[in-house]
Amino acid sequence: MLIKKLTMRVIEMPLKQPFYTHLETVSVRQAIIIEAEDEQGITGWGEASAFSTPWYTEETVQTEWHIIKDVLFPLLQGKTIDHPKDVHALFRTIRGNRMAKAGVECAIWDLYAKQQNKPLHELLGGTRTSIPAGGVAAGKTTADMIARIEALVQSGYERIKIKINPKTDRIMLTEIRRQFPDAPIMADANSAYRLQDIDQLKSLDEFKLLMIEQPFHVEDLWEHSKLQKQLNTAVCLDESIRSVHDAKCAIQMEACRIINVKFSRVGGLTEAVRIHDECKVARTGLWAGGMIEFGISRAHNVALASLPGFTIPGDIVSSNHYWEEDIIEPEILVENGRIQLSSKPGIGYDVNRKRLEIVGKEIYFI
Protein backbone atom coordinates (compact mmCIF):
# COMPACT_ATOMS: atom_id res chain seq x y z
CA MET A 1 0.00 0.00 0.00
CA LEU A 2 1.21 3.51 -0.80
CA ILE A 3 0.47 5.94 2.03
CA LYS A 4 -0.86 9.02 0.25
CA LYS A 5 -2.10 11.14 3.18
CA LEU A 6 -1.70 11.08 6.95
CA THR A 7 -3.91 13.10 9.31
CA MET A 8 -4.07 13.44 13.07
CA ARG A 9 -6.42 15.38 15.31
CA VAL A 10 -6.67 15.86 19.05
CA ILE A 11 -10.15 15.21 20.41
CA GLU A 12 -11.51 15.82 23.89
CA MET A 13 -14.63 14.61 25.71
CA PRO A 14 -15.79 14.57 29.35
CA LEU A 15 -16.37 11.19 30.98
CA LYS A 16 -19.89 10.50 32.21
CA GLN A 17 -18.37 10.02 35.67
CA PRO A 18 -14.79 10.55 36.90
CA PHE A 19 -12.33 7.65 36.85
CA TYR A 20 -10.39 7.49 40.14
CA THR A 21 -7.02 5.94 40.94
CA HIS A 22 -4.58 6.85 43.71
CA LEU A 23 -2.36 8.37 41.00
CA GLU A 24 -4.86 10.50 39.06
CA THR A 25 -8.51 11.41 38.61
CA VAL A 26 -9.60 11.46 34.96
CA SER A 27 -12.67 13.59 34.29
CA VAL A 28 -11.89 14.73 30.75
CA ARG A 29 -10.20 12.49 28.20
CA GLN A 30 -8.05 13.60 25.30
CA ALA A 31 -6.62 11.38 22.58
CA ILE A 32 -5.07 11.69 19.13
CA ILE A 33 -7.00 10.18 16.24
CA ILE A 34 -4.88 9.09 13.26
CA GLU A 35 -6.18 8.68 9.74
CA ALA A 36 -4.11 6.96 7.01
CA GLU A 37 -5.27 7.11 3.38
CA ASP A 38 -3.94 5.12 0.44
CA GLU A 39 -3.80 6.03 -3.25
CA GLN A 40 -7.27 4.53 -3.80
CA GLY A 41 -8.88 6.70 -1.12
CA ILE A 42 -9.28 3.88 1.42
CA THR A 43 -8.91 5.13 4.99
CA GLY A 44 -7.62 3.38 8.10
CA TRP A 45 -8.08 4.69 11.63
CA GLY A 46 -5.92 4.54 14.75
CA GLU A 47 -5.95 6.15 18.19
CA ALA A 48 -2.92 7.24 20.21
CA SER A 49 -4.09 6.75 23.79
CA ALA A 50 -1.66 8.44 26.17
CA PHE A 51 -3.20 10.60 28.88
CA SER A 52 -2.85 14.36 29.20
CA THR A 53 -0.34 13.94 32.05
CA PRO A 54 2.31 11.21 32.49
CA TRP A 55 0.68 9.32 35.37
CA TYR A 56 0.26 5.99 33.56
CA THR A 57 3.29 6.02 31.25
CA GLU A 58 5.91 8.62 30.38
CA GLU A 59 3.99 9.67 27.28
CA THR A 60 1.35 12.39 27.09
CA VAL A 61 -0.92 13.72 24.36
CA GLN A 62 1.57 16.52 23.80
CA THR A 63 4.60 14.23 23.44
CA GLU A 64 2.63 11.93 21.12
CA TRP A 65 1.76 14.92 18.91
CA HIS A 66 5.43 15.87 18.60
CA ILE A 67 6.63 12.33 17.88
CA ILE A 68 3.89 11.57 15.35
CA LYS A 69 4.24 14.93 13.55
CA ASP A 70 8.01 15.24 13.52
CA VAL A 71 9.20 11.62 13.47
CA LEU A 72 6.64 8.92 12.63
CA PHE A 73 4.64 10.63 9.87
CA PRO A 74 7.84 11.61 7.97
CA LEU A 75 9.02 7.99 8.16
CA LEU A 76 5.78 6.81 6.54
CA GLN A 77 5.07 9.63 4.09
CA GLY A 78 5.08 8.35 0.52
CA LYS A 79 6.21 4.89 1.64
CA THR A 80 4.91 1.70 0.09
CA ILE A 81 4.05 -0.73 2.90
CA ASP A 82 3.54 -4.43 2.15
CA HIS A 83 2.16 -5.34 5.59
CA PRO A 84 1.47 -3.53 8.89
CA LYS A 85 4.32 -5.50 10.48
CA ASP A 86 6.62 -3.43 8.25
CA VAL A 87 5.51 -0.34 10.17
CA HIS A 88 6.45 -1.98 13.45
CA ALA A 89 9.90 -2.77 12.02
CA LEU A 90 10.29 0.74 10.59
CA PHE A 91 9.54 2.32 13.97
CA ARG A 92 12.16 0.20 15.79
CA THR A 93 14.75 2.88 15.05
CA ILE A 94 12.83 5.18 17.44
CA ARG A 95 13.25 4.44 21.14
CA GLY A 96 10.19 4.29 23.38
CA ASN A 97 7.15 6.41 22.48
CA ARG A 98 5.12 3.22 22.21
CA MET A 99 1.68 4.81 22.42
CA ALA A 100 2.47 7.21 19.59
CA LYS A 101 3.72 4.27 17.51
CA ALA A 102 0.66 2.18 18.35
CA GLY A 103 -1.76 4.85 17.19
CA VAL A 104 -0.09 5.10 13.78
CA GLU A 105 0.51 1.36 13.37
CA CYS A 106 -3.13 0.57 14.17
CA ALA A 107 -4.31 2.96 11.46
CA ILE A 108 -2.21 0.97 9.00
CA TRP A 109 -3.65 -2.32 10.31
CA ASP A 110 -7.19 -1.00 9.74
CA LEU A 111 -6.28 0.25 6.26
CA TYR A 112 -4.63 -3.05 5.34
CA ALA A 113 -7.62 -5.08 6.53
CA LYS A 114 -9.96 -2.92 4.45
CA GLN A 115 -7.74 -3.39 1.40
CA GLN A 116 -7.91 -7.15 1.96
CA ASN A 117 -11.69 -6.86 2.48
CA LYS A 118 -11.38 -8.82 5.72
CA PRO A 119 -12.21 -8.10 9.36
CA LEU A 120 -9.18 -7.05 11.38
CA HIS A 121 -9.79 -9.77 13.96
CA GLU A 122 -9.48 -12.40 11.23
CA LEU A 123 -6.13 -11.04 10.03
CA LEU A 124 -4.79 -10.94 13.59
CA GLY A 125 -5.65 -14.63 14.09
CA GLY A 126 -8.86 -14.26 16.06
CA THR A 127 -11.02 -17.36 16.46
CA ARG A 128 -14.04 -16.02 18.36
CA THR A 129 -17.31 -14.56 17.10
CA SER A 130 -17.88 -12.77 20.41
CA ILE A 131 -15.73 -11.86 23.40
CA PRO A 132 -16.52 -11.69 27.14
CA ALA A 133 -16.50 -8.19 28.60
CA GLY A 134 -15.03 -6.96 31.87
CA GLY A 135 -15.50 -3.54 33.43
CA VAL A 136 -13.72 -1.22 35.85
CA ALA A 137 -15.45 0.17 38.94
CA ALA A 138 -13.04 3.03 39.67
CA GLY A 139 -14.95 4.91 42.36
CA LYS A 140 -13.65 7.49 44.83
CA THR A 141 -15.22 5.94 47.96
CA THR A 142 -16.31 2.45 48.94
CA ALA A 143 -19.95 3.44 48.49
CA ASP A 144 -19.16 4.81 45.03
CA MET A 145 -17.31 1.60 44.19
CA ILE A 146 -20.23 -0.53 45.37
CA ALA A 147 -22.67 1.42 43.19
CA ARG A 148 -20.45 1.02 40.14
CA ILE A 149 -19.99 -2.71 40.77
CA GLU A 150 -23.75 -3.13 41.06
CA ALA A 151 -24.26 -1.42 37.69
CA LEU A 152 -21.66 -3.69 36.04
CA VAL A 153 -23.15 -6.83 37.61
CA GLN A 154 -26.62 -5.83 36.41
CA SER A 155 -25.24 -5.33 32.89
CA GLY A 156 -23.81 -8.87 32.87
CA TYR A 157 -20.09 -8.07 32.85
CA GLU A 158 -18.11 -11.27 33.40
CA ARG A 159 -15.24 -9.73 35.40
CA ILE A 160 -15.02 -6.56 37.50
CA LYS A 161 -11.89 -4.61 38.36
CA ILE A 162 -11.57 -2.33 41.36
CA LYS A 163 -8.77 0.00 42.43
CA ILE A 164 -6.97 -0.61 45.74
CA ASN A 165 -4.31 1.07 47.87
CA PRO A 166 -2.67 0.17 51.22
CA LYS A 167 -4.75 2.62 53.24
CA THR A 168 -8.23 1.33 52.37
CA ASP A 169 -7.83 -2.11 50.77
CA ARG A 170 -9.15 -4.35 53.56
CA ILE A 171 -12.01 -2.07 54.59
CA MET A 172 -13.16 -1.73 51.00
CA LEU A 173 -12.76 -5.41 50.08
CA THR A 174 -14.58 -6.54 53.23
CA GLU A 175 -17.60 -4.46 52.26
CA ILE A 176 -17.44 -5.50 48.61
CA ARG A 177 -17.33 -9.17 49.52
CA ARG A 178 -20.17 -8.70 52.00
CA GLN A 179 -22.39 -7.43 49.21
CA PHE A 180 -20.93 -9.42 46.30
CA PRO A 181 -19.59 -12.66 47.83
CA ASP A 182 -19.25 -14.54 44.54
CA ALA A 183 -18.60 -11.78 42.01
CA PRO A 184 -15.46 -12.24 39.83
CA ILE A 185 -13.45 -9.38 41.35
CA MET A 186 -9.85 -8.41 40.61
CA ALA A 187 -7.90 -5.60 42.30
CA ASP A 188 -5.64 -3.14 40.50
CA ALA A 189 -3.02 -1.44 42.67
CA ASN A 190 -1.32 0.77 40.05
CA SER A 191 2.01 0.30 41.91
CA ALA A 192 0.64 1.51 45.26
CA TYR A 193 2.52 -1.10 47.35
CA ARG A 194 6.16 -1.80 48.21
CA LEU A 195 8.00 -4.98 49.15
CA GLN A 196 7.60 -4.17 52.85
CA ASP A 197 3.83 -4.47 52.33
CA ILE A 198 4.09 -8.16 51.45
CA ASP A 199 2.30 -9.35 54.61
CA GLN A 200 -0.54 -6.93 53.94
CA LEU A 201 -0.85 -8.24 50.39
CA LYS A 202 -0.78 -11.83 51.63
CA SER A 203 -3.70 -11.01 53.91
CA LEU A 204 -5.79 -10.20 50.83
CA ASP A 205 -5.80 -13.89 49.84
CA GLU A 206 -8.90 -14.34 52.00
CA PHE A 207 -10.98 -12.23 49.60
CA LYS A 208 -10.64 -14.79 46.78
CA LEU A 209 -9.67 -12.26 44.13
CA LEU A 210 -9.08 -13.31 40.55
CA MET A 211 -5.78 -11.43 40.68
CA ILE A 212 -3.93 -8.46 42.13
CA GLU A 213 -2.71 -6.30 39.28
CA GLN A 214 0.60 -4.38 39.34
CA PRO A 215 1.11 -4.15 43.11
CA PHE A 216 4.74 -2.94 42.85
CA HIS A 217 6.61 -0.39 40.73
CA VAL A 218 6.81 -0.85 36.97
CA GLU A 219 10.53 -1.78 37.13
CA ASP A 220 10.26 -4.21 40.05
CA LEU A 221 10.05 -7.58 38.27
CA TRP A 222 12.26 -9.26 40.87
CA GLU A 223 10.13 -7.94 43.74
CA HIS A 224 6.98 -9.19 41.97
CA SER A 225 8.67 -12.59 41.69
CA LYS A 226 9.29 -12.64 45.44
CA LEU A 227 5.67 -11.68 46.09
CA GLN A 228 4.11 -14.24 43.74
CA LYS A 229 5.99 -17.06 45.45
CA GLN A 230 4.32 -16.14 48.77
CA LEU A 231 0.89 -15.19 47.49
CA ASN A 232 -1.95 -17.61 46.76
CA THR A 233 -3.70 -14.98 44.66
CA ALA A 234 -2.33 -14.59 41.14
CA VAL A 235 -0.20 -11.53 40.46
CA CYS A 236 -1.00 -9.77 37.18
CA LEU A 237 1.50 -7.46 35.51
CA ASP A 238 0.36 -4.43 33.53
CA GLU A 239 2.68 -1.41 33.37
CA SER A 240 5.73 -3.68 33.77
CA ILE A 241 5.03 -5.34 30.41
CA ARG A 242 6.08 -3.02 27.56
CA SER A 243 7.35 -5.63 25.08
CA VAL A 244 7.47 -9.33 24.35
CA HIS A 245 10.93 -9.30 25.99
CA ASP A 246 9.38 -8.01 29.23
CA ALA A 247 6.72 -10.72 29.01
CA LYS A 248 9.35 -13.43 28.54
CA CYS A 249 11.35 -12.15 31.52
CA ALA A 250 8.27 -11.99 33.75
CA ILE A 251 7.24 -15.53 32.82
CA GLN A 252 10.75 -16.97 33.28
CA MET A 253 11.15 -15.20 36.63
CA GLU A 254 7.69 -16.38 37.76
CA ALA A 255 6.90 -12.75 38.54
CA CYS A 256 3.24 -13.25 37.69
CA ARG A 257 0.67 -15.81 36.58
CA ILE A 258 -1.33 -13.37 34.47
CA ILE A 259 -0.45 -10.60 32.02
CA ASN A 260 -2.55 -7.63 31.00
CA VAL A 261 -1.60 -6.56 27.49
CA LYS A 262 -2.57 -3.11 26.25
CA PHE A 263 -1.59 -2.80 22.61
CA SER A 264 -1.12 0.95 23.15
CA ARG A 265 1.36 0.35 25.95
CA VAL A 266 3.46 -2.16 23.99
CA GLY A 267 3.71 -0.21 20.72
CA GLY A 268 0.88 -1.66 18.65
CA LEU A 269 -0.97 -4.77 17.56
CA THR A 270 2.09 -6.50 16.11
CA GLU A 271 3.87 -6.58 19.47
CA ALA A 272 0.62 -7.37 21.31
CA VAL A 273 0.12 -10.48 19.15
CA ARG A 274 3.70 -11.56 19.87
CA ILE A 275 3.00 -11.25 23.62
CA HIS A 276 -0.22 -13.23 23.12
CA ASP A 277 1.72 -16.00 21.39
CA GLU A 278 4.33 -16.10 24.18
CA CYS A 279 1.65 -16.33 26.89
CA LYS A 280 -0.25 -19.00 24.98
CA VAL A 281 2.82 -21.25 24.78
CA ALA A 282 3.67 -20.64 28.45
CA ARG A 283 0.02 -21.08 29.50
CA THR A 284 0.13 -17.73 31.25
CA GLY A 285 -3.22 -16.06 31.84
CA LEU A 286 -3.87 -13.15 29.51
CA TRP A 287 -6.41 -10.39 29.05
CA ALA A 288 -6.77 -7.16 27.07
CA GLY A 289 -6.55 -4.02 29.17
CA GLY A 290 -8.41 -0.80 28.46
CA MET A 291 -7.24 2.82 28.35
CA ILE A 292 -10.52 4.69 28.94
CA GLU A 293 -10.36 4.83 25.17
CA PHE A 294 -12.64 6.12 22.46
CA GLY A 295 -14.36 3.83 19.99
CA ILE A 296 -11.51 3.48 17.49
CA SER A 297 -9.05 2.09 20.04
CA ARG A 298 -11.80 0.04 21.65
CA ALA A 299 -12.61 -1.55 18.28
CA HIS A 300 -8.95 -2.52 17.82
CA ASN A 301 -9.03 -3.98 21.33
CA VAL A 302 -12.13 -6.05 20.53
CA ALA A 303 -10.32 -7.49 17.51
CA LEU A 304 -7.22 -8.30 19.57
CA ALA A 305 -9.24 -9.96 22.35
CA SER A 306 -10.70 -12.43 19.83
CA LEU A 307 -7.40 -14.34 19.74
CA PRO A 308 -7.54 -17.75 21.47
CA GLY A 309 -4.88 -17.04 24.11
CA PHE A 310 -6.98 -14.39 25.84
CA THR A 311 -8.26 -16.44 28.76
CA ILE A 312 -9.79 -13.71 30.94
CA PRO A 313 -12.40 -11.03 30.06
CA GLY A 314 -10.71 -7.73 29.22
CA ASP A 315 -11.46 -4.11 30.12
CA ILE A 316 -13.73 -3.63 27.10
CA VAL A 317 -16.96 -1.91 28.02
CA SER A 318 -19.87 -0.51 26.04
CA SER A 319 -19.28 2.89 24.47
CA ASN A 320 -21.99 4.38 26.66
CA HIS A 321 -20.14 3.33 29.82
CA TYR A 322 -17.80 6.31 29.44
CA TRP A 323 -19.33 8.54 26.75
CA GLU A 324 -22.62 10.27 26.09
CA GLU A 325 -21.81 9.77 22.41
CA ASP A 326 -18.80 7.93 20.99
CA ILE A 327 -16.97 8.72 17.74
CA ILE A 328 -17.89 5.45 15.97
CA GLU A 329 -21.08 4.08 14.43
CA PRO A 330 -22.58 1.83 15.60
CA GLU A 331 -21.30 2.20 19.12
CA ILE A 332 -19.75 -0.83 20.83
CA LEU A 333 -22.37 -2.67 22.86
CA VAL A 334 -22.11 -5.24 25.64
CA GLU A 335 -25.12 -7.56 25.68
CA ASN A 336 -25.42 -10.32 28.27
CA GLY A 337 -21.78 -9.78 29.16
CA ARG A 338 -20.43 -10.19 25.62
CA ILE A 339 -19.47 -8.13 22.57
CA GLN A 340 -20.23 -9.50 19.12
CA LEU A 341 -17.44 -9.16 16.57
CA SER A 342 -18.24 -7.36 13.35
CA SER A 343 -17.92 -9.12 10.01
CA LYS A 344 -17.21 -5.83 8.19
CA PRO A 345 -13.70 -5.18 6.83
CA GLY A 346 -11.19 -3.46 9.08
CA ILE A 347 -12.13 -2.57 12.65
CA GLY A 348 -15.78 -3.13 11.72
CA TYR A 349 -17.08 0.30 12.72
CA ASP A 350 -17.50 3.57 10.83
CA VAL A 351 -16.03 6.80 12.19
CA ASN A 352 -18.53 9.61 12.73
CA ARG A 353 -16.75 12.54 11.07
CA LYS A 354 -19.34 15.06 12.26
CA ARG A 355 -18.69 13.95 15.83
CA LEU A 356 -14.93 14.31 15.27
CA GLU A 357 -15.45 17.91 14.16
CA ILE A 358 -17.49 18.66 17.26
CA VAL A 359 -14.97 17.22 19.76
CA GLY A 360 -11.84 18.07 17.78
CA LYS A 361 -9.30 20.50 19.28
CA GLU A 362 -6.42 20.54 16.76
CA ILE A 363 -5.65 18.99 13.38
CA TYR A 364 -2.52 18.34 11.30
CA PHE A 365 -1.94 16.47 8.04
CA ILE A 366 0.72 15.74 5.44
Side-chain angles (χ1 to χ4, degrees):
M1 69 187 89
L2 176 65
I3 308 302
K4 179 183 176 183
K5 184 179 179 181
L6 292 159
T7 304
M8 66 173 170
R9 46 174 65 79
V10 176
I11 65 169
E12 179 180 295
M13 287 201 291
L15 275 68
K16 292 171 70 173
Q17 55 185 358
F19 185 96
Y20 297 101
T21 76
H22 77 281
L23 296 171
E24 184 80 347
T25 297
V26 181
S27 300
V28 176
R29 184 71 163 105
Q30 288 186 328
I32 297 176
I33 304 302
I34 292 106
E35 183 179 358
E37 183 179 332
D38 70 3
E39 70 277 16
Q40 300 174 2
I42 301 173
T43 294
W45 296 91
E47 181 178 323
S49 299
F51 292 94
S52 300
T53 60
W55 67 271
Y56 178 70
T57 68
E58 299 90 339
E59 289 178 83
T60 67
V61 173
Q62 188 174 1
T63 65
E64 284 179 325
W65 183 271
H66 157 57
I67 291 296
I68 294 170
K69 174 179 177 291
D70 297 326
V71 182
L72 302 183
F73 272 6
L75 281 174
L76 273 181
Q77 187 179 19
K79 288 284 196 315
T80 298
I81 303 296
D82 293 327
H83 192 278
K85 292 179 180 179
D86 298 340
V87 177
H88 179 77
L90 185 66
F91 288 170
R92 280 181 184 167
T93 59
I94 310 304
R95 291 185 183 233
N97 297 284
R98 292 177 176 87
M99 291 189 168
K101 293 176 181 177
V104 178
E105 190 219 48
C106 285
I108 304 302
W109 269 107
D110 183 34
L111 173 58
Y112 179 75
K114 288 171 179 172
Q115 289 179 333
Q116 302 298 309
N117 197 34
K118 292 182 178 180
L120 176 60
H121 59 84
E122 182 179 322
L123 290 181
L124 292 176
T127 57
R128 300 181 171 106
T129 57
S130 69
I131 60 167
V136 185
K140 187 174 185 178
T141 65
T142 298
D144 187 10
M145 201 90 75
I146 294 289
R148 297 189 191 204
I149 293 171
E150 179 64 33
L152 291 169
V153 169
Q154 292 298 321
S155 297
Y157 284 85
E158 297 190 18
R159 189 232 69 212
I160 297 164
K161 179 162 80 172
I162 63 168
K163 299 289 185 176
I164 61 170
N165 65 71
K167 294 181 180 179
T168 62
D169 52 11
R170 290 192 60 81
I171 295 172
M172 183 177 61
L173 285 168
T174 298
E175 182 60 20
I176 287 172
R177 276 302 182 214
R178 187 182 70 81
Q179 298 200 39
F180 305 97
D182 301 316
I185 302 286
M186 60 167 289
D188 184 7
N190 288 117
S191 303
Y193 297 80
R194 297 294 178 264
L195 192 60
Q196 58 263 33
D197 299 318
I198 196 164
D199 288 336
Q200 183 173 350
L201 287 165
K202 287 166 62 177
S203 76
L204 303 185
D205 280 339
E206 69 175 275
F207 296 105
K208 307 299 180 184
L209 300 170
L210 294 176
M211 68 192 85
I212 298 175
E213 183 181 357
Q214 199 66 46
F216 297 155
H217 189 268
V218 58
E219 296 174 355
D220 290 345
L221 278 187
W222 180 239
E223 285 79 359
H224 280 108
S225 178
K226 290 181 178 179
L227 172 65
Q228 183 63 96
K229 289 175 173 61
Q230 298 188 52
L231 205 64
N232 292 329
T233 306
V235 170
C236 169
L237 290 181
D238 175 6
E239 294 97 319
S240 291
I241 308 300
R242 294 164 292 187
S243 66
V244 68
H245 174 74
D246 289 340
K248 288 178 179 179
C249 289
I251 292 168
Q252 290 298 317
M253 293 169 63
E254 298 181 0
C256 64
R257 297 184 198 140
I258 299 170
I259 285 176
N260 162 5
V261 62
K262 294 184 173 85
F263 69 83
S264 293
R265 191 189 67 241
V266 303
L269 290 170
T270 301
E271 191 74 357
V273 171
R274 293 176 69 199
I275 292 171
H276 161 273
D277 295 346
E278 189 71 26
C279 290
K280 191 167 180 282
V281 169
R283 298 185 179 181
T284 300
L286 183 69
W287 56 282
M291 288 289 298
I292 320 176
E293 63 266 270
F294 297 99
I296 293 171
S297 182
R298 198 181 310 274
H300 282 94
N301 219 9
V302 169
L304 178 66
S306 72
L307 272 67
F310 285 91
T311 56
I312 300 165
D315 286 342
I316 311 176
V317 295
S318 293
S319 291
N320 64 11
H321 183 78
Y322 290 126
W323 316 118
E324 292 293 347
E325 183 181 357
D326 207 342
I327 59 173
I328 58 169
E329 298 174 322
E331 295 190 346
I332 291 173
L333 179 64
V334 175
E335 292 184 299
N336 299 318
R338 301 190 75 84
I339 299 171
Q340 297 297 318
L341 275 85
S342 173
S343 60
K344 293 174 59 178
I347 59 174
Y349 297 84
D350 296 321
V351 174
N352 184 338
R353 290 185 179 273
K354 290 184 178 179
R355 182 66 175 157
L356 281 185
E357 291 178 6
I358 292 170
V359 300
K361 307 297 288 184
E362 190 173 1
I363 188 168
Y364 170 82
F365 62 88
I366 60 172

